[in-house]
Amino acid sequence: MRALITGVTGQDGSYLAELLLEKNYDVFGMVRRSSVKRLDRIESLVDRITLVEGDLTDQSSLDSVMYEVKPDEVYNMAAQSFVPASWSQAALTGDVTGLGVTRVLETIRKHHPSAKFLQASSSEMFGKVRETPQTENTPFYPRSPYGVAKVFGHHITVNFRESYRLFACSAMAFNHESPRRGTEFVTRKVSQQVAKIKCGLAKKLLMGNLEAKRDWGFAGDYVQAMWLMLQQAEPEDFVLATGKTHSIRELLEVAFGEVGLDWQKYVEVDPKFIRPAEVDHLCGDARKAREKLGWTPKVSFEELIRMMVRSDLEALQKSERTTPSPSAVLPVG
């Protein structure tokens, strides 16, 4: 089996690449051309996967990749995925996160229609929720340019499936985190800053809305469900979620508690981190995934946050051990 992963250098892409390698796939990871390649998340995998250059904003590059790779499965994990940035880069977010999906589907349709396609959708599509918990049939009400772009990507996936008979499905994944999460995302922002405070390298943590609630799971669990989706006889869309919600306040309690600190002594609310239109409460119902895929998330919220704090603490302590002290640096000249 040959698989193409767009966004292979991201959190989900790296976990998915590991999973597919364990299943003896030939894995091809698409990366954008740049003068500096960030391969830290797949550093241990680069000798076992094939990197190909392509860009979701450039149809010709996608055509070339599809013609070259001819994959059995395509996982579209690439996106401008940081919600706050989508407000300042709304057009870019729409082009990459929305229209980019169309370009991938179009190149599959033209060059390799037998390939199975998975679109990584998002719980942000539900936004100002119409019902709780959210299912595959809950109406969308996105509250950010990112959410709007993801709704477009979701619907165009359904449209190509129904219009061209492609095996195309959408993984409506709720928040999933890990030690590989980008530092701009709230869970990793918290775990990294907690580690710095514990090591005496920072004194406080600035946060936005502490009452916002999310359905948080472990990214490694979620890519397993995505793979299972492409192993089914027919393409269908699935909500992927834990079914349990936790507030930012609870996140802080667990993270600071892992290092024996009281979060209230270090956290300050800064209005600049409040979104223009907030999404207050997201909670997914993954019953369909349980019944049809046999999938249930294994890592609990508490285990996830503690895992992230420990990882950042260990990385920081390792960095301190390997950084030479000022007295050990020889003068120049």
Side-chain angles (χ1 to χ4, degrees), residues 51-66:
L51 297 180
V52 291
E53 290 187 343
D55 195 311
L56 291 189
T57 64
D58 179 51
Q59 186 70 60
S60 64
S61 71
L62 296 175
D63 290 344
S64 297
V65 168
M66 191 61 57

Side-chain angles (χ1 to χ4, degrees), residues 207-237:
M207 297 293 294
N209 180 12
L210 302 187
E211 306 310 321
K213 292 184 177 181
R214 293 291 184 273
D215 184 329
W216 277 300
F218 173 51
D221 288 340
Y222 284 53
V223 298
Q224 175 77 26
M226 294 175 188
W227 174 77
L228 286 169
M229 288 173 62
L230 294 195
Q231 313 315 307
Q232 304 306 300
E234 298 293 334
E236 294 185 67
D237 305 323

Side-chain angles (χ1 to χ4, degrees), residues 177-329:
E177 321 293 319
S178 76
R180 301 178 193 174
R181 191 58 145 153
T183 55
E184 68 273 24
F185 292 89
V186 66
T187 50
R188 186 72 194 290
K189 171 186 174 180
V190 169
S191 65
Q192 191 175 68
Q193 196 70 356
V194 166
K196 288 181 179 179
I197 291 172
K198 180 64 176 178
C199 291
L201 301 176
K203 294 183 178 179
K204 61 183 179 180
L205 169 60
L206 300 179
M207 297 293 294
N209 180 12
L210 302 187
E211 306 310 321
K213 292 184 177 181
R214 293 291 184 273
D215 184 329
W216 277 300
F218 173 51
D221 288 340
Y222 284 53
V223 298
Q224 175 77 26
M226 294 175 188
W227 174 77
L228 286 169
M229 288 173 62
L230 294 195
Q231 313 315 307
Q232 304 306 300
E234 298 293 334
E236 294 185 67
D237 305 323
F238 289 87
V239 163
L240 306 180
T242 69
K244 300 176 181 178
T245 60
H246 300 273
S247 67
I248 300 293
R249 191 180 298 273
E250 291 176 85
L251 164 63
L252 294 168
E253 290 174 354
V254 175
F256 277 92
E258 175 63 18
V259 295
L261 298 176
D262 179 359
W263 70 272
Q264 297 182 78
K265 295 180 179 179
Y266 303 95
V267 174
E268 294 181 11
V269 173
D270 189 330
K272 74 179 181 181
F273 292 116
I274 304 292
R275 295 183 186 181
E278 184 60 86
V279 175
D280 295 314
H281 188 198
L282 292 173
C283 181
D285 181 351
R287 185 181 315 166
K288 181 180 175 183
R290 288 197 304 272
E291 294 175 352
K292 290 199 170 186
L293 304 178
W295 176 81
T296 54
K298 297 180 175 65
V299 179
S300 72
F301 168 76
E302 291 79 9
E303 290 170 330
L304 170 64
I305 302 307
R306 290 172 186 141
M307 174 203 308
M308 294 177 67
V309 171
R310 288 195 299 269
S311 176
D312 279 326
L313 191 58
E314 289 169 7
L316 200 57
Q317 291 169 339
K318 181 179 179 181
S319 175
E320 287 184 320
R321 289 195 300 269
T322 57
T323 301
S325 63
S327 61
V329 179

Side-chain angles (χ1 to χ4, degrees), residues 117-137:
F117 173 78
L118 181 130
Q119 163 63 6
S121 288
S122 168
S123 59
E124 289 287 331
M125 299 188 302
F126 297 113
K128 189 175 182 179
V129 297
R130 299 303 199 179
E131 63 181 8
T132 299
Q134 293 88 55
T135 72
E136 290 80 6
N137 298 316

